[in-house]
Amino acid sequence: MGESNQSAASDFILMGLFSNTGSHLVLFFLVVTMFTMVLLGSTILLYLIHTDSRLHTPMYFLLSQLSLLDIGFPLTTIPKMMAAFLQGGGSISFGGCAAQMFFLMLMGVSECALLSLMSYDRYVAVCHPLHYPVLMRRQVCLLMVGTSWFSGVFVASIQTSITLHFPYCASHTVDHFFCELPALLKLSCSDTTAYALALSISGVLVLLLPISLIVTSYGLVLGAVLRMHSAEARHKAFTTCSSHITVVGLFYGAAVFMYMVPGTYHSPQQDNVVSLFYSLITPTLNPLIYSLRNREVQLSLAKVLHRAGFRSIR
């Protein structure tokens, strides 16, 4: 108990990504630009989905939840990193570190579940189009979204509470730019071997089960597409699914490296880059992938811009 109290009473020091050098200043402003793009792109996408009745479909409802997660990821990490860079210090309280870890775990697990359920949506749309309104009715969509968010809260609550239960009585310098679970475990002055093994096993479940569903869904989709006689129908099916496959590849590639590859095979510098990838780069790309490759979103955005231009003239 004394060790736990000592942990809670001490702040952690985040190493950050940048030093005050010319090249790192350029990288810092690049991160700020991407952070702005995430907030702007995802907010616009949410607005379009909410206001345009043509986008009131199961696919876009699930996409709106992905946009919320894309906003949450960088909001949890980037402002603190920016403040640390500008102030010249990366101190974060024990409670702040716990909050970062909880919300990042929540959003990461929720996105894993959501992406797998979105692959099921595409499977139904391509392989069972006539049954789509029934199989993807509103109650089913709400159940999907609720399952995604609940799984995130459940896993995050367990993992965060266990991680913070360990005493941190030695170094409080986190070799990372935010409080991520693997980086924090390295600072504990107690034996975390058993928990690290349990974490790896849970990582396999959290990542491999959704990946299995995704591979199965798109395997069936590919088989259905190859059996189509119409070249136009095959092109439409590939276009419909390609955006989601791209997002899945970007997100899961980084997550698998971070949580399934043993820590001895990657350095803290590599962890920083990979974490930046799934917490900022992927959320930045998601709205661009969905909007630039999707005609319905393009038409909706053009309609909004046209109305805004018309009103400004009036």
Side-chain angles (χ1 to χ4, degrees):
M1 180 64 71
E3 291 179 333
S4 299
N5 290 337
Q6 182 180 354
S7 299
S10 302
D11 291 347
F12 289 99
I13 304 298
L14 300 175
M15 292 299 292
L17 281 175
F18 315 112
S19 60
N20 292 313
T21 62
S23 60
H24 282 185
L25 280 173
V26 174
L27 292 176
F28 172 76
F29 285 113
L30 179 61
V31 168
V32 173
T33 301
M34 295 181 67
F35 176 66
T36 306
M37 290 175 61
V38 171
L39 299 183
L40 186 61
S42 296
T43 302
I44 290 175
L45 200 52
L46 280 170
Y47 175 78
L48 295 177
I49 293 172
H50 177 71
T51 57
D52 194 331
S53 59
R54 293 175 299 179
L55 302 182
H56 293 174
T57 63
M59 183 183 76
Y60 288 107
F61 175 65
L62 296 176
L63 179 58
S64 69
Q65 302 304 302
L66 181 63
S67 296
L68 287 175
L69 293 170
D70 286 341
I71 292 174
F73 260 119
L75 275 179
T76 306
T77 58
I78 303 303
K80 180 62 180 177
M81 184 190 70
M82 292 165 55
F85 177 82
L86 295 174
Q87 296 172 1
S91 177
I92 184 172
S93 67
F94 188 84
C97 193
Q100 266 197 348
M101 189 161 46
F102 174 81
F103 284 110
L104 284 169
M105 186 71 67
L106 184 158
M107 289 178 290
V109 174
S110 297
E111 186 158 338
C112 285
L114 183 64
L115 289 174
S116 64
L117 294 174
M118 289 174 70
S119 71
Y120 172 77
D121 170 75
R122 293 301 84 208
Y123 157 72
V124 175
V126 174
C127 300
H128 303 283
L130 297 180
H131 298 92
Y132 186 81
V134 176
L135 295 176
M136 291 299 298
R137 59 189 181 276
R138 180 172 178 79
Q139 293 87 341
V140 174
C141 294
L142 291 174
L143 179 61
M144 285 182 169
V145 171
T147 300
S148 299
W149 285 101
F150 175 78
S151 62
V153 172
F154 179 73
V155 174
S157 299
I158 294 176
Q159 300 286 22
T160 303
S161 60
I162 293 177
T163 303
L164 296 179
H165 177 74
F166 290 112
Y168 297 94
C169 50
S171 172
H172 281 241
T173 301
V174 183
D175 199 0
H176 209 33
F177 69 94
F178 61 85
C179 289
E180 192 163 30
L181 195 153
L184 205 61
L185 277 182
K186 296 177 182 178
L187 303 181
S188 177
C189 52
S190 63
D191 185 12
T192 61
T193 305
Y195 178 56
L197 178 60
L199 182 63
S200 299
I201 294 174
S202 66
V204 170
L205 295 175
V206 169
L207 291 172
L208 288 191
L209 287 180
I211 289 176
S212 300
L213 177 58
I214 291 169
V215 171
T216 301
S217 297
Y218 281 111
L220 295 172
V221 168
L222 180 60
V225 169
L226 293 177
R227 290 193 296 270
M228 293 178 179
H229 299 290
S230 170
E232 181 180 354
R234 286 198 299 269
H235 175 74
K236 183 177 180 180
F238 275 122
T239 302
T240 301
C241 299
S242 60
S243 296
H244 185 217
I245 294 175
T246 303
V247 171
V248 166
L250 293 172
F251 180 80
Y252 275 98
V256 166
F257 177 85
M258 193 67 194
Y259 285 94
M260 291 184 62
V261 177
T264 55
Y265 292 95
H266 45 89
S267 65
Q269 292 76 18
Q270 290 174 324
D271 290 345
N272 276 325
V273 172
V274 172
S275 297
L276 184 67
F277 195 91
Y278 71 73
S279 65
L280 180 62
I281 297 177
T282 301
T284 303
L285 294 177
N286 284 351
L288 299 177
I289 291 171
Y290 279 104
S291 60
L292 293 179
R293 296 174 61 88
N294 195 296
R295 181 168 177 79
E296 287 84 0
V297 174
Q298 292 174 355
L299 292 175
S300 179
L301 180 59
K303 183 179 178 181
V304 170
L305 293 176
H306 176 74
R307 287 179 175 177
F310 177 77
R311 287 174 181 174
S312 64
I313 294 175
R314 292 291 297 269

